[in-house]
Amino acid sequence: MFKEIIGVGDTELDALNDAKKQLGLDETDEVEFELIQRAEKKKFGLFGGSPAKVRIVIKDTPEEKAENFLKEVLDKMLLKDIEIEKKSEEGAVEFNLSGEDVGFAIGRRGETLDALQYLTSLVANHGDDPYIKVTVNTGNYREKREKTLDSLGRKLAFKAIKTGKKTSLEPMNPYERRIIHTSVQKVNGAISWSEGEGAARHVVIGPDPKSRGNRKGGYNNRRGSRKPYNSNRETSAPVNPDRVPLNEGGETGGLYGRIDK
């Protein structure tokens, strides 16, 4: 999106300064401009004559494009009472939503919030400008969601070790699946992988067949065997630090990673 400003003045310099003033710039600020009409003096001081006109075209930054798009979408959703707070960092921008209707912007398990973020990122990074990471959040919702998923992954990992059975989770976006995979990797004897395609892709958590305690059916299927010492205890040290989720492919971009133009 472009913003066009026309400055008018008795001279070319006056016209340029008028355009700068409309943009909130100082007269000493350097800008690119186009002279669209030269000043002409009145003949005999009475007839004809015309002022100078200068055009300045300002291109929206990726942040401005993202913010304008987000405001427009929320307006179309009839969520006009939601306030947007912008926080910018180098190569990234976060929009934090607040207001009485913010629940509608979150949606079921954050699905609407994820969609807003995905589309806003597409708009911000459409063009030749450097890529920026776009985050759309509300309060600390995403932080709470991440903790919930991390806890869920660990809980189901220990369940898999104890019962020797696998558990399928509900479909999740790539970012949330990676949170689950990471939490499972921190539990000895459990492993995770992804199944399904597209919107139906989900994480499955089960006992790691390569784990010593899970071989030949695990301790639950061996009569008289003792329960592993750490079977009900969380650990921060994985069996193999280099272990990666199965069948997850190359989904390194994900919902919050880079989205190519």
Side-chain angles (χ1 to χ4, degrees):
M1 186 179 296
F2 297 88
K3 183 186 298 181
E4 181 180 278
I5 300 297
I6 303 295
V8 180
D10 294 334
T11 66
E12 284 79 3
L13 181 58
D14 290 338
L16 178 58
N17 288 335
D18 178 57
K20 289 182 179 180
K21 183 178 180 180
Q22 294 181 55
L23 290 169
L25 303 176
D26 294 330
E27 293 183 358
T28 56
D29 292 334
E30 295 185 3
V31 295
E32 293 185 4
F33 65 93
E34 177 187 1
L35 179 62
I36 57 178
Q37 180 175 294
R38 291 186 178 276
E40 293 184 3
K41 294 183 179 180
K42 294 181 179 180
K43 294 180 180 180
F44 308 110
L46 298 173
F47 307 106
S50 59
K53 292 184 179 180
V54 167
R55 176 191 291 119
I56 297 179
V57 177
I58 302 296
K59 181 182 178 182
D60 285 347
T61 65
E63 289 185 12
E64 291 172 332
K65 290 190 292 184
E67 185 173 11
N68 292 334
F69 173 78
L70 186 57
K71 287 181 178 178
E72 182 179 356
V73 172
L74 292 175
D75 185 65
K76 297 293 185 182
M77 294 172 65
L78 302 180
L79 302 178
K80 299 181 180 180
D81 294 332
I82 290 183
E83 296 182 2
I84 303 176
E85 180 183 351
K86 182 174 69 175
K87 180 181 179 182
S88 301
E89 297 179 358
E90 185 177 354
V93 59
E94 178 179 352
F95 299 103
N96 202 298
L97 311 182
S98 61
E100 294 182 1
D101 296 331
V102 76
F104 294 101
I106 297 176
R108 179 178 178 271
R109 293 190 176 90
E111 291 177 351
T112 303
L113 197 66
D114 289 342
L116 286 172
Q117 178 170 286
Y118 176 75
L119 295 174
T120 303
S121 181
L122 283 180
V123 171
N125 292 294
H126 180 72
D128 300 325
D129 295 300
Y131 175 85
I132 66 169
K133 178 182 178 181
V134 176
T135 303
V136 179
N137 202 355
T138 171
N140 58 347
Y141 172 81
R142 293 201 182 281
E143 291 77 4
K144 289 181 179 179
R145 177 66 172 166
E146 183 172 341
K147 289 181 180 179
T148 298
L149 292 174
D150 179 74
S151 176
L152 176 64
R154 287 173 177 266
K155 178 179 179 180
L156 293 179
F158 284 107
K159 179 181 178 182
I161 297 172
K162 184 176 181 179
T163 65
K165 298 179 180 180
K166 64 181 182 180
T167 301
S168 296
L169 280 68
E170 64 180 12
M172 296 178 182
N173 60 56
Y175 172 74
E176 294 189 338
R177 292 202 301 272
R178 285 201 300 274
I179 294 175
I180 295 292
H181 288 314
T182 300
S183 65
V184 174
Q185 288 174 16
K186 297 176 182 178
V187 179
N188 289 333
I191 195 169
S192 61
W193 63 94
S194 291
E195 295 181 353
E197 300 294 335
R201 196 159 176 79
H202 60 279
V203 175
V204 181
I205 300 174
D208 186 356
K210 296 181 180 180
S211 176
R212 184 175 181 180
N214 291 329
R215 292 175 184 173
K216 297 181 181 180
Y219 65 85
N220 285 316
N221 294 329
R222 292 192 301 228
R223 182 174 299 177
S225 62
R226 296 183 62 186
K227 191 174 185 180
Y229 175 73
N230 67 340
S231 62
N232 283 326
R233 209 176 271 186
E234 294 191 11
T235 175
S236 58
V239 174
N240 181 358
D242 299 322
R243 185 177 65 176
V244 297
L246 300 178
N247 302 328
E248 197 58 28
E251 296 179 358
T252 57
L255 182 63
Y256 308 116
R258 175 162 184 165
I259 302 172
D260 293 331
K261 302 188 285 286

